Amino acid sequence: MAQCKQSAPEFIQNTFSPHVAVLCSKDAEVLCQKNNLTFAQLVQPFCRLGTEVHIKDPNNVSHSIHNLRISTCDMSATPPQHATTKKMLNDAVAGSQLQTGDGGRGAGNMMSVGNYDLQLHASTPWFEAYRECFLDVITLSDHEYLSHCVGCIFVASSGQSDPIATFTSLTNQQLQQQQQFPNKVPRWFCPGILTYYVLLHDVSDGELPRAEAYYQSMKTTFGSQCCHLLQINSRSLQTVENMKPEASLPDPWSQFLPKAPEVQPVKSHTPRYFITWEGVEYDGLPLQDDASFPSHLSEARLTSTIPDLETSVIETTPDVISDKISTVHSSSLTDLNDTNTSNNEMLMDHPLAFHSTETQAQVEESSISHDGDATAAANGYQDGKSTGSAAGQEKSKLRVHGVCLTTGDMDRLRIFMHEFVVRSLIPWAEKQMRMLNEQLTSRKGIHRSIFSATKKWFGTNKPSGPVQASQNTSVVYTSEAPELQLRRLADLAFLFQMYDYAYHTYHTAKRDFNNDHAWLHFAGALEMASLSIFMLGSQSQRQYPHHYMESAITTYLTTCRNFQYAVRATLVSTEALKCRGMYGEAAMQFLKMTNEDSDLSSALFLEQGAHCFINMKTPMVRKYAFHMILAGHRFNKAGQRKHSLRAYSQALQVFKSKYWSLAEDHIHFTIGRQSFNLKQLENASSAFKHLLMAESKQPAAQQGAFLREYLFVYKQLLTQEAGENCSYGRLPELPLPNINSNTTKVLMGKQQPQIPENPRKTPATGVWFDHDESRNMCWQKLEEKLVISANGGSLPNTFRSTLQCFTNNTENRASPIAFVGEHIVVEVQVEDPLQVTLVLSDVMLLWSFLPSIAGADKPQLISNEVSTGVKNNLADEIIQTTVIKEVVLEGGQTAPIHLTLVPRQPGELRVVGLAYNLGTTSSQSQSSSPLPGDMPSSTSTSSPSILGSQKPSFISSVYVRGKQKLEVQGPRLNASKDDKTNKVYGPDRRLDLTVHEEMPILEVSFCDFPDSLLCGEVHCIEMEVRNTGRSPLHQLKVTSTHPDFFTFGCSQDLPKYPYVYQTRSVDSDISNPIDSCSVRSVPDVIDIPIEGNILRPGDTRSLPMWLRGNDIGGVHEVDFLFYYEPLNTQAKEKDSVRHRVLRHRAVVNTVESLSVRAVVTKPSACVSSSDGQELKSCIISCELENLSQVQVQRPHIQELQVTQVSCASQDWVVNSLSISDQKDVRIGSRHILQLALKGTKCKTDNKLMFSEVFFDMQKINSVQTPCCDFYFRSPACRQISSSPSDASLVPSHRSAPSQPDFSSLNKAREVKLTLIILWKAFVAQENGQLKILVGQHHVCIERVDAVVTAYPLVQSNQDQPPLKFIRNVEPQTEPQPSPEVTTKLVSYSFLHQLDCTHNFNKGLCIVPVTLKLQNHTDTSVDVLVDTSKSSDRFGTASSPSPPQFSPGSPTPPVMSCSFSWVGPTLANLTLAPGADQQLQLKAAFCRPGVYNCNNLAVFVTYADADPSEMILQKHSTPSIITLSA
């Protein structure tokens, strides 16, 4: 339990102190009323003795009495009635509140228990006030005499004519009341009580000699020990009126006087604020529907075992039962609620259930103050303002106590009480104890022998009578019974602090009561015996008998059913247990006293039990919190809203952020409701705000109720603040929806319309929020190319890439640059954490703007947050702000909101937040809410939605206008040691924009841009450029990630749109050489050809553009980046933007059309030929396949027609091998066409030759746009132009700082030519119509006998070898040319007769054979011809034979090589580069047959090779000769 102002011994002494009645005459009361006090109240501050006094027990042993306190009571006072008693208890609790600095925020009240940091109240003054009031109004009983008056003080005035007669009359009045009405309050200790007579003398208005004369007469009549002359009122009333307020003495009586209750007429009224659930009318109308929120648990109410007030009878005689001024039962003393409040009496309110209704006691707040509470402030809720402090001060000024008393008067009062105790009370107590001890001693023998054996048959001193229902005993004692006399002796000893003597007496009485089954007396004896041991303290050798008190409380509750004395026993017992550190036992006693009939006492006991749990040696934090919640619930039922709020706030410290979501929701909800009912709207809104979290586990209906509750309370708070002119014009911050500021994106520019005005035109896509941020580096490289091209080949040092979309992944150290008149789009990600629909209306951005004004005056900061009409209009003229009418967020949905700003003048713009109206849908609109696609306003669009009349609106009547701040956090720094150890974040200025003057704006659109192309298809479109800005632009350029995708043409003579190719006349030349240098230098950056190279504001230019489909089928993304510069001179300033870019991404799907594979082979030498031209020609074999398939009801290629084959090469021209014209070469679906062409080598002095073979009547000019453009932009042409020699044939080596050049040798295998296959495709569309498309494929052939295709081959990833940490040292070898090249440096052929007839009988047949050698390299070679060796003996497996495209050719017959060469067997010769030479040989045959003359070996060496190593040349073509006899 909490700390108290009094220690446990002090509290027990004050609770059980001698009581003395006071009976005053009317004249004496008049004298006391001058001080606004009665006589009993007048002496109350002086009833505690400051000195030590002594008393003797019956054994004549002296005992010291310390701090003896005398309790005085007015004999003529009327005891409080039942209703008054309840109100007194409630007022005592309600009027005792913690002050702002008491136990609220002090450092001494902080307690750390495990992971909990609790801020606890050190004291509970409301509990002490309740305890004090309860002990004052407790019903007296005959089973004990502790609260019975031991004496009576009779007071008369000296101003009366006969004070002796007055005293006699007062004595008779007291005696009559004691004898005739023994059960009337006050009760008397014994028949012979102490009588004391006080003569009250008014110093300012009376005669002192006369008073002294009366006093002497009194001493003669009543005895000097029982009389006292008391002088008061030394200050007259006239003197008091002339005194200054600060001159008055302090008021020591205020702490002893109860607060005067303000009696107000009970009337039903409607509170201004009253929270209920769905269906409430907040204007004060009755609740219509309360079924939407469960507020009770259906549990059976326990049958009360405590009798009602009418049946609570404790008196011992029948006449007392009929007395109307009987004692008040304990349950009625502590219960505030009426027992007949509603019809749901059988429903028990559960502490974890939310309540939708309030009792009448909760609604009426006449006796409950509205001061602030420090506990709520400890949990984040602010203290309320006191509304009744000023009125209380005025009332205290009107009623001041002791104004006529001086310091001397107070000293005389103190002396009076000391003399009363020392001279009268203590001697009387000694006398009574001796007398009672003698009576008990004389009767002890009889009592122990005869009477104890016969008392069950003879009841001489215990007459039978009606037994009280509350006692549940079969024994009723008379007032003179020995057992009660023993109890009187024990009580008298306890009252005067003789605790050891009292303990033994109580212990003796306990045994007698137990034997007599007098359980009420037995429980009282147990209680006081236990307290006697406790009060002995260290003097006692016994342990504190805790079980005595437990038995007493249990007996009070169960056997006697006397709840009132059980409460008293609990109050004193828990103090004793707390003093001994037995907090667990104290908590159990408190919890035992809780019941369903007394909400106020149960709440207090639950709270004290909670404090016991937290003060244990091992604090039980969760038990503390749980019982504080139960206490708060009972406080709420008792009408103590402030205490309920405080209890829940204390418990919140434990449950907060500990994942007890449902319990935390209950606490927050109750705090919000109680705060609202106490007019603490800010605390209420803060509590309801915590219910709207993403972690909420409440069902959707409950969350909706929470949200509506919050909206209503917060709206009331805003109304109140508006009335108080608090922060006028500034919007409050709202908790919903959740906004992650770091996900905010800022875009410079606007989105292109989803549906363009002209469906044929496709505008440039630009940049939008859904762009791929991973490609920012690719865009930056494209921009660098454009800037380098515009600046003469160098990149400026001040170059900074253009960033249009600023996100959390971009570099945001510099402020974004916007321009006057251009859109600034901000994307804000909003999330609905609840399961209910949120409606955001009138959504707009909040900004502050500092205009750039030339001059000495500092510009004024402008904001659009202040809600005044004039300022809003001015702000809209400076920054045009888009407002979205309505945004609907479904439960759990995360959606972007796009908001637009358009600056109208330069300056510094800062986006500070988001303003909106927060509301929710009603139950009707939720049930009929449309699908997300049918919402009135889409949350993913940036433009405001204008709701049509045909679409429903979700805006409800209950909404609040507020804002949320947008504050982005920069990236965490990690550069220095301090950055790594501390959390340091860099700047992020994406919301701090700099607005510059107007700039030109380029818009690009494409007419008839295709979504799908055939692979290699050439398509002509029209591109339109337009300047929509207010200043001219120039230097219009474009680049792309796929330069081979488009071209604008390079000559003035261009095909007219929409024609694709240019044709030539039939009689034109076959080949047309052009300058290779001018054609090959195709840059990645293209200047867009517009007239004058300047585009004025509002001008539009159109130009043709050709597109070619990718060679690989699939979906391809092509990025275009347009570049332009402003023409005005202001753009050349230092801080201005010097160029602008426009992005466009085209997505094209390419469909497979034609597959082309080609190979070049060198022809074999023919014996009949003698000119040697066959060595400078080649055969080009092409395989063309139509890859399309016929598909029903889908577009497909029916047929492909090859219209022309062109060859682009510096060394070769192509011709058709067919003598007749081949027309109409078509390929069906999935068909293959074999096409053979002849290539002839020629010299052109580095001129590029275009040779054409036509297969159609229409001859396409390959030299003109777009055929030659796509050729030069093709990867094949770029590969040939970038590598003049075939470096791929040279094996790569790691080292070799000086690599040898083998290009001259590689010439032996090089064939650099590109075939351009032009075709037509007949495409069947879905509607059945036939469409003709044209296109071209490029096949780059670089080597002989190498198969190439029109599409690039993707090499598969080879398995990587295992990783080795130790490098193997490889021997360094000099690079060597490829064996494929070195074995075919020189070709040779045989010239001889094919048929020969010879008579072998005459001898051998000698046939002359001419060996023709051809050097295919660009270097001289040495050739060795060895006729003694055959080439087949060296093997030919080192190089695979070239593939043959004639699978049906017959296998050559077996030929004989058994002949001999005659003459020289070795021949050496040198061949110049490209030269040929003949060698005469002779072959001798011995018999007829078919012979292969290719039966010799040719070795070659070159200049850089080792002369000792000769390389055998491969020549597998046979040379056949037939010999016949």
Side-chain angles (χ1 to χ4, degrees), residues 1004-1075:
V1004 179
S1005 58
F1006 304 91
C1007 183
D1008 297 333
F1009 196 93
D1011 296 332
S1012 178
L1013 292 174
L1014 297 178
C1015 290
E1017 177 190 350
V1018 178
H1019 187 80
C1020 183
I1021 65 172
E1022 187 176 26
M1023 188 182 74
E1024 183 181 279
V1025 292
R1026 181 182 180 186
N1027 184 5
T1028 59
R1030 297 187 179 181
S1031 58
L1033 62 87
H1034 70 139
Q1035 292 284 347
L1036 187 56
K1037 301 174 180 293
V1038 66
T1039 187
S1040 175
T1041 54
H1042 296 71
D1044 56 337
F1045 179 69
F1046 71 100
T1047 182
F1048 293 106
C1050 56
S1051 63
Q1052 297 297 329
D1053 187 13
L1054 297 177
K1056 300 299 181 181
Y1057 175 77
Y1059 296 101
V1060 179
Y1061 289 109
Q1062 298 188 56
T1063 59
R1064 64 168 72 236
S1065 59
V1066 180
D1067 56 352
S1068 60
D1069 296 335
I1070 295 179
S1071 59
N1072 298 293
I1074 60 174
D1075 188 4

Side-chain angles (χ1 to χ4, degrees), residues 1351-1398:
Y1351 52 88
L1353 294 177
V1354 180
Q1355 297 181 357
S1356 60
N1357 295 329
Q1358 299 179 358
D1359 294 338
Q1360 297 292 334
L1363 181 62
K1364 295 182 179 180
F1365 293 95
I1366 300 176
R1367 185 180 63 178
N1368 295 329
V1369 180
E1370 299 179 357
Q1372 297 291 336
T1373 58
E1374 293 184 0
Q1376 297 292 333
S1378 173
E1380 183 181 357
V1381 176
T1382 56
T1383 56
K1384 294 185 179 180
L1385 299 178
V1386 175
S1387 65
Y1388 55 91
S1389 60
F1390 299 89
L1391 300 179
H1392 51 78
Q1393 297 179 2
L1394 298 180
D1395 297 319
C1396 183
T1397 303
H1398 179 70

Side-chain angles (χ1 to χ4, degrees), residues 1014-1255:
L1014 297 178
C1015 290
E1017 177 190 350
V1018 178
H1019 187 80
C1020 183
I1021 65 172
E1022 187 176 26
M1023 188 182 74
E1024 183 181 279
V1025 292
R1026 181 182 180 186
N1027 184 5
T1028 59
R1030 297 187 179 181
S1031 58
L1033 62 87
H1034 70 139
Q1035 292 284 347
L1036 187 56
K1037 301 174 180 293
V1038 66
T1039 187
S1040 175
T1041 54
H1042 296 71
D1044 56 337
F1045 179 69
F1046 71 100
T1047 182
F1048 293 106
C1050 56
S1051 63
Q1052 297 297 329
D1053 187 13
L1054 297 177
K1056 300 299 181 181
Y1057 175 77
Y1059 296 101
V1060 179
Y1061 289 109
Q1062 298 188 56
T1063 59
R1064 64 168 72 236
S1065 59
V1066 180
D1067 56 352
S1068 60
D1069 296 335
I1070 295 179
S1071 59
N1072 298 293
I1074 60 174
D1075 188 4
S1076 61
C1077 295
S1078 60
V1079 176
R1080 284 184 180 178
S1081 59
V1082 179
D1084 291 338
V1085 178
I1086 302 176
D1087 293 331
I1088 298 179
I1090 58 175
E1091 184 179 355
N1093 200 24
I1094 297 176
L1095 198 61
R1096 301 291 177 183
D1099 288 354
T1100 303
R1101 297 287 186 271
S1102 298
L1103 63 157
M1105 181 178 182
W1106 287 269
L1107 309 177
R1108 180 180 177 272
N1110 198 290
D1111 292 324
I1112 301 177
V1115 179
H1116 302 274
E1117 294 180 350
V1118 183
D1119 295 334
F1120 295 90
L1121 188 63
F1122 295 88
Y1123 171 95
Y1124 60 98
E1125 297 179 1
L1127 188 62
N1128 55 351
T1129 57
Q1130 296 179 357
K1132 302 299 181 182
E1133 297 178 0
K1134 181 179 178 180
D1135 297 335
S1136 61
V1137 178
R1138 300 192 177 187
H1139 72 273
R1140 304 192 71 181
V1141 294
L1142 174 63
R1143 297 182 184 180
H1144 175 66
R1145 168 165 290 185
V1147 180
V1148 180
N1149 181 25
T1150 56
V1151 182
E1152 293 180 341
S1153 57
L1154 182 65
S1155 173
V1156 180
R1157 290 184 292 175
V1159 64
V1160 172
T1161 58
K1162 289 294 184 67
S1164 302
C1166 183
V1167 178
S1168 61
S1169 301
S1170 60
D1171 53 358
Q1173 293 296 327
E1174 68 277 0
L1175 299 178
K1176 295 183 179 180
S1177 62
C1178 62
I1179 303 299
I1180 305 172
S1181 301
C1182 299
E1183 181 181 280
L1184 292 84
E1185 181 181 2
N1186 185 355
L1187 299 178
S1188 65
Q1189 293 182 355
V1190 177
Q1191 299 179 1
V1192 180
Q1193 296 181 352
R1194 293 188 64 183
H1196 61 277
I1197 301 176
Q1198 286 188 347
E1199 204 172 34
L1200 271 174
Q1201 178 183 353
V1202 180
T1203 59
Q1204 181 176 318
V1205 176
S1206 300
C1207 174
S1209 176
Q1210 297 181 6
D1211 302 325
W1212 299 88
V1213 294
V1214 295
N1215 298 294
S1216 176
L1217 291 178
S1218 176
I1219 300 176
S1220 61
D1221 295 337
Q1222 298 181 2
K1223 304 298 181 184
D1224 200 15
V1225 179
R1226 301 196 178 195
I1227 309 173
S1229 176
R1230 308 303 297 180
H1231 288 186
I1232 298 176
L1233 173 67
Q1234 299 289 342
L1235 182 64
L1237 300 174
K1238 179 181 180 182
T1240 305
K1241 197 170 185 180
C1242 62
K1243 297 294 183 181
T1244 59
D1245 298 331
N1246 292 330
K1247 296 294 183 180
L1248 186 63
M1249 299 292 295
F1250 278 87
S1251 54
E1252 301 167 350
V1253 178
F1254 305 104
F1255 300 100

Side-chain angles (χ1 to χ4, degrees), residues 477-536:
Y477 299 104
T478 62
S479 60
E480 300 298 328
E483 291 82 0
L484 295 188
Q485 297 287 40
L486 188 63
R487 176 60 195 254
R488 280 193 181 96
L489 178 60
D491 289 348
L492 201 57
F494 189 89
L495 291 175
F496 289 94
Q497 301 182 12
M498 293 177 286
Y499 299 116
D500 187 64
Y501 185 83
Y503 168 73
H504 290 91
T505 309
Y506 282 129
H507 195 272
T508 302
K510 172 181 70 71
R511 290 198 300 266
D512 293 342
F513 294 141
N514 187 25
N515 295 332
D516 296 340
H517 299 285
W519 302 123
L520 182 62
H521 300 77
F522 172 73
L526 281 176
E527 175 187 4
M528 299 312 298
S530 176
L531 293 179
S532 299
I533 294 297
F534 172 76
M535 294 302 292
L536 282 173

Side-chain angles (χ1 to χ4, degrees), residues 614 804 840 1393:
I614 201 64
Q804 293 180 265
L840 311 181
Q1393 297 179 2

